[in-house]
């Protein structure tokens, strides 16, 4: 599968999921502390609440970040492994000026994050 197809599939899968399910999956794969951090939530218990089917709906800014995080994670996990996707999320990236993807997501650098996913999957060496 081409890298463009992987990224498009990640977008399609994310778009079809309920926000509670996205929060649940991110909590499972990244942990609620990272989910709260990338979403920009001060309350570290919110990711657990968002993950409940009848829980509160995250605000629009939180939702946008959760959707991006899921898109990045699923694209990387499908192309590589879940372990690689988690490590990529927490590690500094040369494609994000050595910021972590978690930080870039929290700062709403959406285009940069997807470009960093693409660059990683393409195994590019240039920044």
């Amino acid at each position: 599968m081409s890298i463009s197809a992987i990224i498009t599939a990640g977008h399609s899968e994310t778009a079809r999921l309920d926000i509670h399910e996205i929060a649940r999956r991110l909590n499972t794969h990244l942990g609620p502390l990272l989910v709260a951090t990338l979403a920009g939530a001060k309350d570290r218990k919110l990711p657990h609440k968002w993950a409940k089917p009848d829980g509160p709906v995250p605000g629009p800014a939180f939702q946008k970040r959760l959707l991006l995080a899921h898109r990045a994670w699923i694209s990387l996990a499908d192309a590589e492994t879940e372990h690689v996707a988690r490590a990529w999320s927490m590690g500094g990236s040369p494609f994000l000026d050595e910021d972590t993807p978690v930080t870039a997501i929290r700062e709403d650098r959406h285009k940069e994050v997807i470009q960093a996913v693409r660059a990683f999957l393409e195994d590019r060496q240039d920044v």
Side-chain angles (χ1 to χ4, degrees), residues 2-23:
S2 75
I3 292 168
S4 290
I6 291 167
I7 291 172
T8 300
H11 176 266
S12 296
E13 180 175 339
T14 299
R16 289 182 172 93
L17 293 173
D18 177 76
I19 196 66
H20 298 293
E21 179 61 17
I22 288 170

Side-chain angles (χ1 to χ4, degrees), residues 14-26 47 50-53 55-60 62-68 70:
T14 299
R16 289 182 172 93
L17 293 173
D18 177 76
I19 196 66
H20 298 293
E21 179 61 17
I22 288 170
R24 187 193 68 74
R25 289 181 185 196
L26 288 172
W50 293 336
K52 295 179 182 179
V57 174
F62 294 146
Q63 283 191 44
K64 192 173 179 182
R65 295 175 191 134
L66 294 172
L67 292 169
L68 175 62
H70 185 267

Side-chain angles (χ1 to χ4, degrees), residues 71-94:
R71 283 182 60 202
W73 187 88
I74 197 69
S75 295
L76 291 161
D78 284 352
E80 298 282 339
T81 66
E82 292 183 10
H83 174 74
V84 169
R86 181 174 168 74
W88 180 88
S89 298
M90 296 186 302
S93 171

